[in-house]
Amino acid sequence: SAAVVADHVVNGARILPGMAYVEMARAALADGGGAAPGPGLGWSLQHLAWARPLVVGEAPVTLHLALSRYDADRI
């Protein structure tokens, strides 16, 4: 939404903050991206990278997030 990027302006462009991507990945895991971690364990997000920033202009933007299984223990 515009509120998320209203104060995150870089070189005059409204950019989706990096922490928004991290929160989306966390929420995707929580919503069924994989089996729940065992007792006393939690998810760990590692090696996150963005090819380019998401610039938010006047037109609506659609963002798709995909999770892929890397091996039996990693998504």
Side-chain angles (χ1 to χ4, degrees):
S1 86
V4 173
V5 296
D7 294 327
H8 198 72
V9 178
V10 178
N11 293 328
R14 292 183 302 169
I15 305 292
L16 186 66
M19 285 308 297
Y21 293 98
V22 174
E23 174 55 21
M24 287 186 287
R26 187 215 56 80
L29 284 168
D31 283 346
L41 301 175
W43 294 112
S44 173
L45 298 173
Q46 300 175 1
H47 309 293
L48 300 173
W50 293 266
R52 62 178 188 227
L54 177 64
V55 177
V56 180
E58 296 302 319
V61 175
T62 301
L63 178 76
H64 296 274
L65 174 71
L67 301 177
S68 300
R69 182 155 305 279
Y70 183 75
D71 61 27
D73 298 323
R74 296 183 285 179
I75 297 174

